[in-house]
Structures are given as C-alpha cells and as structure tokens.
Amino acid sequence: MTTYTICIFTENSIGLLNRITIIFTRRRVNIESLTVSETERKGVSRFTIVIKHESREDVEKLVRQIRKIVEVMAVFGYLNDEIVYNEIALFKVSTPLGSKSLDVETINKEYKAWVVYWGLDYVVIEKTGNDTDIFEFFAYIKQYEILEFVRSGRVAVGKTEKGLVEYLPESEWAYYL
C-alpha cells in the first residue's frame, strides 16, 4: 500500500469536517491521520489527511469528490517524497525515587527529544519527526515505565515553490498580525 497525504484548503464552516470524512467512509478508505488548523490567512483552514491505499486512481477520484464541496478552495494529493512533514509525540515517563534514572544526554543528543516538563514522579518528553523517528525513540524509552503516549497527526507542506497564495489572490484575504 502507498501512503498519500491529502491537503485540503477550505473556508471555516460548521459541519465541513463531517462532510469531508463521509467521502472517505463511503469509499471505505481508512483515515490514518487527520490534522486541521487555520492557515496564515484568516478564515481559511487546512486539513491534512493521511491515508494508505493501493490504487492511485481511487485516490484521484477521492480528491475530485472532495473538490465538489462548495467550501473547498483547493485540494492537493501528495506522495511522501513530494512533501516535508513531521509529527509530534509526547511521552509521560515515570521517574519515582529509587528508579532507573533517565539518560537525558542520550535522549537529547541521539534522539533529539526534549524534556518539556519535569514533575516529582514523572517527566514529559517531546519528540518530533516522522513516524519512524518517533517509534525508534519509543523502542528506546520503553526501558522506562511509560505512563502515557500520544502522537499528533501529520503536518505537511508541499515541496513546490508556491502554496496557498498561488490559489488565493492576495487582495481577497487578510493575514494574521
């Protein structure tokens, strides 16, 4: 199966997430990751959806179906080598008195992860990178007691020179200050 990242630029409107996900449900396509956020333009949201599928033609049909939604301004489908992407993961690791101490130097230097909170009985470690990087760190950190683990969806930008600006004229949209 091939991994596809679909980036959708839309107007901010209630119920739009439901209408977009129904398209995937009807075609029996599982969403591996979904991230929604505002863009640099006020009133414009960006959906980043990761799917795995065997047929490029089916993914192209899915993209064409999404384009038919009124509030959708632009849709792009990418393969992994056509984008720059990352995820973030947080690990809550137990550190009670008398337990094996964390090797913070290894965590920082080898895995490029950072302790972002140090409590009395636990620490929270942040790791960014692709899913392979995150799960390599997971394999290392599981020598300690992991209390919680959470991973975000993918955030991605295309490797093309232009992005959203190419599809939305400058004069029509306000930027955040």
Side-chain angles (χ1 to χ4, degrees):
M1 283 210 195
T2 305
T3 300
Y4 296 92
T5 301
I6 300 171
C7 295
I8 308 167
F9 295 96
T10 70
E11 297 173 8
N12 270 339
S13 66
I14 296 170
L16 186 56
L17 175 60
N18 186 44
R19 289 193 310 230
I20 290 171
T21 56
I22 283 174
I23 293 171
F24 290 86
T25 304
R26 285 184 186 147
R27 295 183 179 276
R28 298 190 157 287
V29 175
N30 185 46
I31 295 174
E32 301 283 328
S33 163
L34 169 66
T35 306
V36 183
S37 65
E38 292 182 309
T39 65
E40 68 276 11
R41 302 276 179 98
K42 286 184 183 177
V44 178
S45 292
R46 178 189 189 117
F47 290 70
T48 304
I49 301 173
V50 178
I51 62 171
K52 290 183 179 175
H53 206 280
E54 295 171 355
S55 168
R56 183 179 180 101
E57 294 79 28
D58 287 349
V59 174
E60 288 172 356
K61 286 179 189 175
L62 187 76
V63 166
R64 285 194 298 273
Q65 192 70 35
I66 293 168
R67 283 191 179 123
K68 293 179 182 178
I69 298 173
V70 173
E71 295 89 351
V72 170
M73 300 169 180
V75 182
F76 304 96
Y78 299 102
L79 295 170
N80 284 347
D81 62 343
E82 299 170 332
I83 55 174
V84 176
Y85 62 94
N86 252 341
E87 297 178 5
I88 184 172
L90 296 176
F91 298 82
K92 186 189 286 185
V93 179
S94 179
T95 57
L97 285 174
S99 68
K100 182 178 180 182
S101 62
L102 285 175
D103 184 357
V104 178
E105 187 173 339
T106 299
I107 290 169
N108 290 158
K109 290 185 178 177
E110 286 185 36
Y111 293 99
K112 301 203 176 11
W114 314 104
V115 174
V116 293
Y117 178 80
W118 205 290
L120 293 174
D121 295 329
Y122 66 93
V123 296
V124 177
I125 301 170
E126 174 186 299
K127 171 68 180 143
T128 59
N130 62 38
D131 53 351
T132 304
D133 297 336
I134 289 170
F135 285 110
E136 281 176 6
F137 181 68
F138 188 95
Y140 166 77
I141 204 70
K142 72 180 181 183
Q143 66 182 299
Y144 306 98
E145 182 185 0
I146 298 174
L147 301 173
E148 283 185 67
F149 166 69
V150 63
R151 189 172 128 220
S152 73
R154 177 179 285 190
V155 292
V157 293
K159 289 183 179 177
T160 59
E161 200 172 302
K162 297 182 180 177
L164 178 60
V165 178
E166 184 178 351
Y167 297 93
L168 304 176
E170 190 79 28
S171 61
E172 293 182 22
W173 301 96
Y175 285 95
Y176 285 100
L177 298 176

